Amino acid sequence: MEIDPFIFRLSIFILSIFVGYYVVWSVTPSLHTPLMSVTNAISSVIIVGAIIAALASSSDSIFETSNLFGFLAIILAAVNIFGGFLVTQRMLQMYKKKKK
Amino acid sequence: MSANLSALFYLISGILFILALRGLSSPETSRQGNYFGIAGMVIAILVTFLSVGNFGPALIYVLIFLVIGGSIGAFIAFRIPMTAMPELVAGFHSLVGLAAVFVAISAFLKPDAFGLGIIGEIKLASLIEMSLGAAIGAITFSGSIIAFLKLRGIMSGSPITFKGQHFINLLLGITIIFLIYYLCTSQLSSVFWSIIIISFLVGVLLIIPIGGADMPVVISMLNSYSGWAAAGIGFTLENTALVITGALVGSSGAILSYIMCKGMNRSFFNVILGGWGASEQSSSSQNKEQKPVKSGNADDAAFLMKNASSVIIVPGYGMAVAQAQHALREMVDALKKNGVKVSYAIHPVAGRMPGHMNVLLAEANVPYDEVFELEEINNDFANCDVAYVIGANDVTNPVAKSDPQSPIYGMPVLDVEKSKSVLFVKRSLSPGYAGIDNDLFYRDNTLMLFADAKKMTEEIVKSL
């Protein structure tokens, strides 16, 4: 019997939770704020779905309702991607060691 | 681009995201980690363009919207003051949540574009995944908006509670599950819209009863939700990068919530089910007898610290409110010139989000190797001459160790009272968020400095 592709994705999902668990425990507490802002940025990879939605034009019109939701989602995700990575970068620049 | 090839690229970007988080294990590797994250994002976006393969006029609009959103994001990122980080993160969470809702809506309206079947005959698994993604996304959105308003001070930080609140939440939760089931059998779009609207409502109801100082838990929790929403959409779109990222972010937020709850010695449900201060106010008003308090001025404080050999600074949310971090750092510089050894002690729940104090100190150019976590530094208080408490309160209350009746009993606290003398900067003797009196105020070795945190610190700098 063939395995449903869903099961593969579920396996990836569950393994990723474990990876996330161990990786996040190793994050130093002083970087927990940058951790939040960077997870914010990477979760905006949801833009992938937004792009597919925006570019899906089965008919002549590129502004059907479903496309519009895609375009809106692109703006939201883009704010988050640029904002998230840049603010993380800005914060990380500030962490300095003692000058010897 | 073939589906298999793009799937491999999505896997690569997922791995780069893991490395981005991995980099945060130390400040040295963290900047490189952030570049990995950016690379992962660029790969994911480019691969999507190539695999959709639509290079018509729609692509130009996509790029325009990308640039518009990107410019807004970049503008915010450069302009936001570091003290506003908690509300910025809450605001960003709401965007992820809403984006998830929009993508789910668009997948529901045009399932063929996503390979999920046709309208009215969407695959069962896809329907469950997209409605879960939309519901969690909607909860994340409205919940984060409430958190944002509370953190920003537009909405009062005090818990809003009413009778039967938890019952209503439970009822709405059950309704959502029932509607998802109904959607799967009926494929009706009205049911889909109802799920989203009810979820928006749940998000609001879930966050309004939670008070200001519990915000670290709330922000972490919403962080986690935004991850699960992304994962739900990832399953719908059969996209590995999204599934991996969703799992990473989901578990990251969950761990942070756990750390925050542990820092307050409260269970997750205790925090979620409502305010702390509300139920405890009665006990604090009973103990209103006048106890002797020693208070001093900036000169006294400067004298004490100048003649100390070691000083530990205990910052809290009050420091952020007063924007006192730069003045504090000037004070520390002056002390170091006098040969005083200075370090910083940070409680896990100090501030309004995980790591809030660390970022503020880093902003004021405090080297991160002078800043210590609770477990690292707690034994040092016994050997330290002066503890300078600025803007912290409940996290220093010795009652948490001695009085089993106290609502904060068992909460890990900084052993500030063990140092030879304690300088406590505070505007009044009012209790902290937990609504209980701080025993530390009345200790013999405590000198209260009644003033605004920033003003007092600046005055101390002057007299040093």
Side-chain angles (χ1 to χ4, degrees):
Chain A
M1 206 183 107
E2 212 178 324
I3 299 171
D4 192 320
F6 172 79
I7 300 301
F8 284 119
R9 276 189 293 280
L10 190 67
S11 318
I12 295 173
F13 180 63
I14 289 171
L15 287 175
S16 301
I17 291 178
F18 275 87
V19 172
Y21 180 84
Y22 288 107
V23 169
V24 171
W25 272 116
S26 75
V27 171
T28 163
S30 67
L31 291 176
H32 275 161
T33 299
L35 171 69
M36 300 204 90
S37 60
V38 85
T39 48
N40 228 313
I42 63 173
S43 56
S44 305
V45 74
I46 201 154
I47 199 169
V48 165
I51 294 172
I52 298 174
L55 290 181
S57 48
S58 47
S59 61
D60 322 308
S61 168
I62 53 167
F63 284 117
E64 286 176 53
T65 328
S66 73
N67 300 111
L68 288 179
F69 277 110
F71 284 123
L72 285 175
I74 287 178
I75 297 185
L76 297 177
V79 171
N80 231 331
I81 291 171
F82 281 76
F85 280 124
L86 288 173
V87 89
T88 308
Q89 192 68 16
R90 205 180 127 202
M91 272 191 275
L92 294 176
Q93 294 303 355
M94 299 187 312
Y95 283 80
K96 291 189 193 86
K97 246 193 154 140
K98 214 181 307 188
K99 276 188 218 104
K100 285 279 151 64
Chain B
M1 196 184 267
S2 83
N4 287 335
L5 191 60
S6 49
L8 284 176
F9 275 111
Y10 285 134
L11 177 64
I12 292 174
S13 77
I15 291 169
L16 286 169
F17 291 151
I18 294 173
L19 292 176
L21 299 193
R22 175 73 196 142
L24 290 170
S25 58
S26 94
E28 274 113 279
T29 53
S30 61
R31 286 170 277 256
Q32 190 194 16
N34 202 36
Y35 292 125
F36 281 135
I38 296 171
M41 188 61 72
V42 171
I43 290 175
I45 292 175
L46 288 181
V47 168
T48 311
F49 281 137
L50 293 174
S51 62
V52 174
N54 176 351
F55 297 107
L59 183 68
I60 297 169
Y61 286 104
V62 168
L63 292 176
I64 291 173
F65 286 121
L66 202 60
V67 171
I68 294 175
S71 323
I72 299 172
F75 180 78
I76 297 172
F78 286 119
R79 297 300 291 275
I80 191 90
M82 283 301 142
T83 38
M85 272 323 284
E87 52 260 46
L88 177 76
V89 168
F92 278 172
H93 285 150
S94 72
L95 299 184
V96 179
L98 195 60
V101 174
F102 285 169
V103 173
I105 290 175
S106 143
F108 184 78
L109 293 177
K110 210 177 213 178
D112 46 321
F114 294 85
L116 309 175
I118 52 170
I119 298 170
E121 277 174 47
I122 301 173
K123 283 188 280 182
L124 178 66
S126 308
L127 261 185
I128 298 175
E129 290 153 4
M130 75 171 75
S131 48
L132 276 178
I136 302 172
I139 293 173
T140 312
F141 170 71
S142 55
S144 301
I145 292 286
I146 299 294
F148 175 84
L149 294 176
K150 284 193 170 194
L151 287 164
R152 191 85 224 170
I154 299 171
M155 207 170 136
S156 152
S158 53
I160 300 169
T161 45
F162 53 88
K163 245 191 161 155
Q165 198 162 20
H166 305 317
F167 179 71
I168 292 178
N169 287 348
L170 185 72
L171 204 68
L172 288 175
I174 294 170
T175 313
I176 291 177
I177 294 169
F178 171 75
L179 284 177
I180 291 176
Y181 171 78
Y182 185 51
L183 176 71
C184 293
T185 51
S186 69
Q187 304 251 357
L188 283 171
S189 61
S190 56
V191 179
F192 184 71
W193 295 112
S194 315
I195 292 173
I196 293 177
I197 290 165
I198 294 176
S199 303
F200 279 136
L201 192 64
V202 171
V204 174
L205 290 175
L206 214 51
I207 307 301
I208 52 168
I210 305 179
D214 284 334
M215 278 301 152
V217 182
V218 171
I219 297 191
S220 320
M221 183 182 85
L222 291 168
N223 186 236
S224 182
Y225 285 1
S226 70
W228 304 130
I233 302 297
F235 275 104
T236 320
L237 305 182
E238 312 188 338
N239 184 302
T240 328
L242 253 174
V243 170
I244 294 178
T245 316
L248 287 178
V249 177
S251 52
S252 162
I255 290 173
L256 288 177
S257 321
Y258 171 79
I259 295 175
M260 293 302 114
C261 287
K262 232 181 112 210
M264 295 193 285
N265 188 37
R266 300 171 67 196
S267 74
F268 186 67
F269 286 103
N270 185 309
V271 176
I272 296 309
L273 293 183
W276 198 1
S279 55
E280 302 303 337
Q281 261 153 17
S282 51
S283 66
S284 71
S285 49
Q286 284 160 9
N287 296 333
K288 268 282 147 71
E289 86 235 46
Q290 286 290 316
K291 283 184 261 180
V293 174
K294 284 197 286 182
S295 74
N297 57 30
D299 293 329
D300 303 333
F303 178 79
L304 261 175
M305 285 198 277
K306 209 165 24 181
N307 293 304
S309 64
S310 67
V311 171
I312 298 179
I313 314 258
V314 182
Y317 181 59
M319 180 189 81
V321 175
Q323 304 255 23
Q325 66 270 31
H326 298 281
L328 185 66
R329 142 93 202 211
E330 275 175 44
M331 185 186 92
V332 170
D333 284 347
L335 286 174
K336 280 192 198 153
K337 260 189 210 134
N338 281 303
V340 183
K341 184 178 164 282
V342 187
S343 37
Y344 299 80
I346 304 214
H347 191 275
V349 294
R352 285 290 185 268
M353 75 183 292
H356 192 185
M357 290 301 121
N358 303 78
V359 171
L360 293 182
L361 292 176
E363 187 199 12
N365 278 322
V366 173
Y368 61 82
D369 38 5
E370 288 176 8
V371 183
F372 299 93
E373 304 302 317
L374 178 103
E375 304 89 46
E376 297 173 311
I377 201 166
N378 226 4
N379 292 329
D380 297 352
F381 280 107
N383 308 317
C384 126
D385 296 313
V386 179
Y388 187 73
V389 183
I390 173 167
N393 188 358
D394 291 330
V395 297
T396 63
N397 197 340
V399 160
K401 289 175 286 190
S402 57
D403 179 11
Q405 302 298 315
S406 167
I408 60 168
Y409 181 69
M411 173 170 132
V413 287
L414 291 158
D415 296 335
V416 176
E417 79 283 357
K418 287 189 182 152
S419 51
K420 282 204 195 81
S421 39
V422 179
L423 294 171
F424 207 117
V425 188
K426 205 169 178 311
R427 266 178 297 204
S428 68
L429 281 179
S430 60
Y433 172 69
I436 47 165
D437 223 9
N438 193 341
D439 205 26
L440 197 59
F441 298 163
Y442 314 107
R443 298 275 170 128
D444 286 337
N445 58 342
T446 305
L447 190 66
M448 297 297 296
L449 306 170
F450 292 113
D452 173 75
K454 189 177 174 188
K455 264 193 210 124
M456 177 51 76
T457 310
E458 280 167 349
E459 277 171 36
I460 294 175
V461 174
K462 264 183 224 147
S463 37
L464 271 170

